[in-house]
Amino acid sequence: GAVVSQHPSWVICKSGTSVKIECRSLDFQATTMFWYRQFPKQSLMLMATSNEGSKATYEQGVEKDKFLINHASLTLSTLTVTSAHPEDSSFYICSASTNGRLADSYEQYFGPGTRLTVT
Amino acid sequence: DAKTTQPNSMESNEEEPVHLPCNHSTISGTDYIHWYRQLPSQGPEYVIHGLTSNVNNRMASLAIAEDRKSSTLILHRATLRDAAVYYCILRSRLSNFGNEKLTFGTGTRLTIIP
């Protein structure tokens, strides 16, 4: 099956710094990638949808200037948390889809997640 | 988006079948029923999906009520590795699956008792 990786798997950063999380589709081209955030004991909340080569679409309440998303290629999307604060500490998960280019196109393929801790 | 309702938690003994219910009384004729599961500290993984007929795959079975207002995910023989949060999600058949976002509810936390 299609594999999505994330890097790093966990990161600790100081308040006020920025951190970049990478999401890669390893064996397929992902025209659309999604970024989710999950707080402890809660469900996944979609943050934004990104299509390759275009600007991301952010969900209501998500600050686009704080959570910078770049989807420059068909296999890589990045999420940069700028000026991170402790309340940004969360589990960030990406997913990728192929828009019908794979037989199992009804699936979204999820990465393993990145745990961000801001001190 | 049509909404789904699931029990917050369920328990099952190891090596016994598990039936996870999902209510979706406002489902439309164009909605597929999808199930994902999330193991602890991991991203979700696809389990199964269906439209009207019951479906089987290597992971599970999906039983869909005749009126489609509810469905049941069946794990035939639960193992400790099946302990996870199971999400029932509706997705429109009319959409481009690749572009459509998934709306996760609270899901059912399944605990397997050794």
Side-chain angles (χ1 to χ4, degrees):
Chain A
V3 178
V4 175
S5 70
Q6 282 184 241
H7 178 80
S9 55
W10 60 271
V11 57
I12 301 172
C13 71
K14 292 187 176 181
S15 186
T17 63
S18 296
V19 61
K20 180 185 286 188
I21 302 170
E22 293 186 349
C23 176
R24 293 182 184 273
S25 55
L26 298 184
D27 50 4
F28 68 100
Q29 293 183 330
T31 50
T32 304
M33 287 185 170
F34 303 84
W35 286 95
Y36 295 83
R37 180 169 53 180
Q38 186 175 35
F39 293 107
K41 303 293 185 184
Q42 295 187 23
S43 188
L44 283 78
M45 296 297 295
L46 181 68
M47 299 176 66
T49 302
S50 76
N51 290 296
E52 183 263 340
S54 62
K55 290 184 179 180
T57 301
Y58 290 81
E59 295 298 299
Q60 191 173 7
V62 178
E63 301 174 58
K64 61 180 181 181
D65 294 331
K66 180 171 181 63
F67 299 99
L68 302 179
I69 292 172
N70 184 283
H71 191 166
S73 79
L74 288 172
T75 59
L76 174 64
S77 176
T78 60
L79 167 67
T80 301
V81 183
T82 63
S83 187
H85 288 95
E87 56 265 31
D88 297 323
S89 298
S90 188
F91 192 48
Y92 291 86
I93 305 168
C94 73
S95 71
S97 65
T98 63
N99 290 10
R101 294 183 186 183
L102 285 183
D104 296 339
S105 61
Y106 44 75
E107 297 183 38
Q108 276 188 27
Y109 303 95
F110 285 83
T114 296
R115 188 162 302 282
L116 170 63
T117 302
V118 185
T119 61
Chain B
D1 292 336
K3 193 175 177 180
T4 63
T5 305
Q6 300 176 253
N8 288 332
S9 63
M10 289 183 64
E11 287 186 351
S12 178
N13 293 320
E14 192 178 10
E15 298 187 2
E16 289 187 357
V18 182
H19 291 232
L20 297 165
C22 180
N23 287 321
H24 28 77
S25 58
T26 59
I27 190 171
S28 75
T30 57
D31 287 338
Y32 278 97
I33 302 158
H34 285 248
W35 285 81
Y36 283 76
R37 72 178 186 181
Q38 185 179 22
L39 279 63
S41 298
Q42 295 187 29
E45 65 173 337
Y46 167 83
V47 178
I48 200 167
H49 82 287
L51 184 63
T52 56
S53 302
N54 294 343
V55 184
N56 299 298
N57 66 20
R58 63 176 178 82
M59 289 181 69
S61 296
L62 177 60
I64 302 173
E66 194 169 339
D67 62 5
R68 301 209 325 126
K69 293 186 176 182
S70 66
S71 61
T72 302
L73 179 70
I74 302 167
L75 306 179
H76 293 286
R77 196 162 170 264
T79 70
L80 295 177
R81 288 175 293 181
D82 291 320
V85 178
Y86 287 78
Y87 297 98
C88 170
I89 301 170
L90 300 182
R91 298 185 70 176
S92 174
R93 180 169 54 149
L94 296 179
S95 72
N96 179 337
F97 280 134
N99 271 325
E100 185 178 344
K101 61 186 181 183
L102 292 176
T103 301
F104 285 79
T106 54
T108 297
R109 183 173 299 276
L110 176 64
T111 300
I112 304 298
I113 302 169

